[in-house]
Amino acid sequence: MSKRTPADDPGARAVALITETLPPWAEHTAVVPSARLREDLGLDSLARVALAARISEDLGEEDAEPGHAVEEFTTLHTVGDVQDLYRRLSGAPAGDTLGRLLRLLARVGPEPLDTTRLDPSAPLRGLGLPSMVLVDFFVRIETEFAFTWDEDTSPQTFATLAALARHIDDHATPPAGTGRPAHREPAP
């Protein structure tokens, strides 16, 4: 397996590592961002640990145990989730904010939500999600995108997924070296 170089696309590299981990019967063309690791690709818990180890090794953590990659795999359900993890661990720009929001929304609540047919410009309240699920979603956004909601955040920010993505792009702390401005906390 070759080491990652700065010119590599982290999302494509994550797909390559997933493809190398697939069971022999799995269809390689099925490795798309929305594909579910277990249900669609057949990656059982042992294969997920192997994938986490490959990611750790690929990112130059050979001397360490798979570490945080294994710990975070308990929350990963799709190829897109693995791509996001690889980007974050490699320090690469996160990219595709709206796609990341959709994948995050799919994981909140007691039942997985099918976000494949959601209109990003449709009102969030039209999704029929309980308020506690939406609160959980907003809390997870803070963790996923490394920023804190300001007290004076406009209510329009929470109207649609597209508005949320724009707000996050404007306010989230970018990975080092991306050149985007960092979110600043309001003065006390």
Side-chain angles (χ1 to χ4, degrees):
M1 167 174 22
S2 65
K3 292 285 179 223
R4 180 183 175 276
T5 63
D8 288 340
D9 171 25
R13 185 65 191 140
V15 166
L17 293 172
I18 292 168
T19 302
E20 292 173 10
T21 310
L22 289 177
W25 53 265
E27 182 63 44
H28 290 204
T29 59
V31 184
V32 296
S34 62
R36 296 169 300 173
L37 298 174
R38 185 184 47 192
E39 296 86 348
D40 300 331
L41 301 177
L43 295 178
D44 60 17
S45 58
L46 186 57
R48 287 177 182 215
V49 170
L51 179 57
R54 284 178 179 223
I55 288 173
S56 291
E57 179 183 322
D58 200 61
L59 293 172
E61 300 176 358
E62 294 93 349
D63 297 333
E65 292 184 31
H68 45 272
V70 170
E71 291 172 16
E72 292 199 45
F73 257 69
T74 60
T75 62
L76 304 181
H77 301 289
T78 67
V79 169
D81 294 339
V82 175
Q83 290 176 303
D84 293 341
L85 173 65
Y86 191 96
R87 284 184 187 105
R88 191 168 64 247
L89 293 177
S90 69
D96 190 21
T97 302
L98 185 57
R100 290 174 66 198
L101 277 175
L102 286 167
R103 290 188 292 276
L104 186 63
L105 182 60
R107 295 191 311 260
V108 297
E111 305 261 337
L113 178 65
D114 179 12
T115 59
T116 57
R117 295 189 180 141
L118 287 183
D119 177 2
S121 61
L124 274 179
R125 72 176 143 229
L127 296 177
L129 297 173
S131 59
M132 290 308 294
V133 170
L134 285 174
V135 168
D136 183 33
F137 177 54
F138 297 136
V139 169
R140 289 181 188 211
I141 287 172
E142 287 184 326
T143 303
E144 176 76 17
F145 294 96
F147 81 106
T148 304
W149 297 105
D150 290 337
E151 291 177 15
D152 60 346
T153 301
S154 166
Q156 280 68 25
T157 299
F158 304 99
T160 67
L161 288 170
L164 275 172
R166 282 190 302 276
H167 182 82
I168 290 166
D169 284 340
D170 291 342
H171 294 87
T173 302
T178 62
R180 287 184 37 221
H183 172 70
R184 288 174 178 67
E185 294 298 321

